[in-house]
């Protein structure tokens, strides 16, 4: 293993932005399934020899990718994905735990559109890990335009990052139906309450939902057409089919599969998640106007 070396795995929007950020202070490598003409692009084998890895591939692909490609050799890992595995209902920390010890893994959360990070615009991120030592090591790699905070609430950060994608779809639907700013603010505020309730069931801390990982990322994503999930919502409101929306998008929108995961988990554990459940039903074909009526019922 090459000491103190760092690589990003996944050269999509977020992977490339993180690679740009990390390259400000030191040499950083990047790899991806599809080769790209980017400085310091290496093959996967070379990337996996780095001591520090940031993995930025879609949540639903992680288990298969780890099984196929990953052998633990003491690497320290930051997970950049935001989602819950739909097929199992497992959180990403549960999946990674099968491959990497807890002290070697952390999760990035907080409001961070890749398109702004890659321009060097300032932002604040949370690095969530059981290990503060891991946080300090990774934190040192980040450039001065990114402020990093530490949290040990891994599950809270994961729930917040995944749930806000579903709420961004809901907010996009709200905008697309021209329901007004009062409705949108109510939806986002009740969404925050809902995601905190869901997270609490799994042991999350309330403070995580009031900070960057929860409110911060939710307010960002649920208020902007820069969000892919929000744009999915706009498409659904105009009666577009999900396949057509995804074709136009050409990038991942994690909220779609995560809505399924939340729906199933909420039924299994009897957690009240009305907004996420309506998003799942709309994705399955329910008329958004019927969802609105159901959400407004006393
Ligand atoms: N974009 C953003 O602003 C932010 C995104 N995130 C999260 O980061 C994650 C990635 O998002 P983003 O980069 O934007 O998405 P993109 O759709 O832009 O890129 C996805 C990346 O994942 C790779 N990939 C897809 N499927 C597989 C697979 N089966 N095996 C290996 N690699 C695969 C693609 O590889 P290739 O193209 O080489 O084939 C591509 O590099 C998501 O969970 C997202 O929620 C988090 C914060 C901000
Ligand atoms: O997570 C994000 C910003 O923090 C990106 O959101 P989208 O995937 O909806 O674009």
């Amino acid at each position: 293993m090459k000491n103190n070396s760092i690589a990003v795995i996944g050269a999509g929007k977020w992977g490339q932005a993180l690679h740009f950020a990390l390259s400000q202070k030191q040499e950083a490598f990047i790899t991806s399934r599809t080769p790209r003409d980017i400085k310091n692009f290496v093959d996967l084998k070379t990337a996996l020899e780095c001591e520090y890895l940031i993995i930025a591939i879609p949540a639903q692909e992680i288990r298969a990718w780890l099984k196929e490609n990953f052998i633990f050799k003491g690497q320290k890992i930051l997970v950049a994905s935001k989602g819950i595995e739909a097929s199992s209902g497992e959180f990403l920390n549960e999946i990674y735990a099968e491959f990497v010890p807890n002290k070697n893994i952390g999760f990035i959360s907080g409001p961070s559109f890749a398109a702004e990070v890659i321009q060097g615009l300032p932002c604040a991120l949370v690095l969530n890990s059981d290990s503060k030592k891991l946080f300090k090591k990774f934190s040192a790699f980040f450039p001065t335009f990114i402020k990093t905070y530490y949290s040990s609430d891994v599950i809270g950060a994961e729930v917040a990052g995944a749930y806000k994608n579903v709420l961004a779809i809901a907010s996009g639907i709200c905008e697309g139906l021209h329901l007004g700013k009062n409705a949108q603010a109510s939806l986002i505020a009740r969404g925050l309450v809902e995601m905190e309730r869901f997270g609490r069931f799994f042991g999350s801390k309330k403070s995580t939902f009031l900070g960057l990982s929860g409110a911060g990322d939710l307010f960002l994503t649920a208020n902007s057409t820069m969000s892919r999930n929000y744009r999915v919502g706009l498409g659904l409101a105009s009666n577009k089919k999900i396949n057509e929306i995804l074709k136009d998008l050409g990038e991942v929108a994690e909220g779609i599969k995560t809505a399924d995961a939340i729906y199933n988990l909420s039924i299994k554990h009897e957690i009240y998640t009305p907004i996420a459940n309506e998003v799942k039903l709309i994705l399955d074909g329910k008329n958004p106007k019927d969802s609105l009526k159901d959400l407004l019922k006393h």
Side-chain angles (χ1 to χ4, degrees):
M1 202 165 56
K2 280 165 59 188
N3 281 349
N4 271 323
S5 52
I6 188 158
V8 177
I9 296 178
K13 275 275 160 59
W14 191 213
Q16 288 201 43
L18 285 166
H19 177 248
F20 166 81
L22 297 167
S23 300
Q24 302 304 307
K25 275 168 79 174
Q26 65 276 304
E27 182 176 61
F29 298 103
I30 185 162
T31 191
S32 208
R33 186 177 55 175
T34 313
R36 283 174 173 76
D37 188 15
I38 309 173
K39 191 175 172 220
N40 286 331
F41 191 95
V42 292
D43 60 19
L44 180 60
K45 190 168 171 287
T46 309
L48 287 173
E49 288 299 320
C50 289
E51 184 180 359
Y52 295 89
L53 301 174
I54 300 195
I55 306 186
I57 64 174
Q60 310 304 323
E61 312 296 336
I62 283 171
R63 189 190 296 276
W65 185 86
L66 285 168
K67 270 190 188 154
E68 202 174 315
N69 300 294
F70 188 75
I71 298 169
F72 180 64
K73 296 179 189 166
Q75 300 98 326
K76 284 100 183 162
I77 294 178
L78 264 189
V79 179
S81 324
K82 294 176 179 170
I84 305 172
E85 190 180 62
S87 58
S88 64
E90 282 191 25
F91 296 103
L92 302 185
N93 75 77
E94 298 176 276
I95 299 173
Y96 273 98
E98 293 174 29
F99 300 85
V100 187
N102 270 353
K103 68 177 175 48
N104 282 51
I105 195 142
F107 293 79
I108 306 179
S109 62
S112 47
F113 281 139
E116 293 189 355
V117 171
I118 208 159
Q119 294 177 61
L121 294 170
C123 77
L125 294 175
V126 189
L127 309 185
N128 308 270
S129 175
D130 287 354
S131 162
K132 187 140 194 199
K133 203 170 143 198
L134 184 98
F135 159 75
K136 283 186 179 155
K137 287 279 188 188
F138 269 110
S139 190
F141 284 109
F142 280 84
T144 50
F145 68 85
I146 298 183
K147 179 160 184 174
T148 53
Y149 289 82
Y150 172 67
S151 169
S152 59
D153 186 12
V154 169
I155 185 63
E158 268 215 68
V159 168
Y163 215 114
K164 66 87 192 169
N165 285 332
V166 179
L167 298 172
I169 296 178
S171 187
I173 295 171
C174 187
E175 170 81 37
L177 293 179
H178 308 293
L179 301 181
K181 291 295 171 196
N182 294 340
Q184 200 167 24
S186 304
L187 180 84
I188 294 170
R190 290 308 302 171
L192 184 56
V193 171
E194 181 176 312
M195 67 148 106
E196 190 278 328
R197 185 191 305 123
F198 184 84
R200 200 182 332 135
F201 179 87
F202 294 100
S204 310
K205 288 184 191 159
K206 191 171 194 165
S207 55
T208 301
F209 293 89
L210 297 177
L212 291 167
S213 309
D217 208 1
L218 174 65
F219 296 169
L220 177 83
T221 322
N223 274 308
S224 171
T225 52
M226 282 173 76
S227 158
R228 286 89 51 103
N229 289 289
Y230 190 88
R231 297 205 295 275
V232 167
L234 288 175
L236 290 168
S238 58
N239 284 324
K240 280 193 189 159
K241 294 278 168 264
I242 192 68
N243 288 345
E244 190 189 343
I245 297 171
L246 286 176
K247 203 167 147 233
D248 291 349
L249 201 64
E251 290 168 30
V252 68
E254 295 276 24
I256 296 171
K257 289 282 182 193
T258 297
D260 263 340
I262 293 172
Y263 184 85
N264 292 329
L265 286 168
S266 72
I267 290 171
K268 182 173 171 193
H269 300 295
E270 297 182 4
I271 314 167
Y272 183 51
T273 57
I275 301 172
N277 289 5
E278 287 305 327
V279 170
K280 185 283 193 277
L281 295 173
I282 292 169
L283 286 163
D284 285 352
K286 183 170 175 177
N287 187 324
K289 288 184 181 153
D290 291 334
S291 283
L292 173 65
K293 276 189 211 143
D294 289 338
L295 284 172
L296 283 172
K297 268 185 204 154
H298 288 286

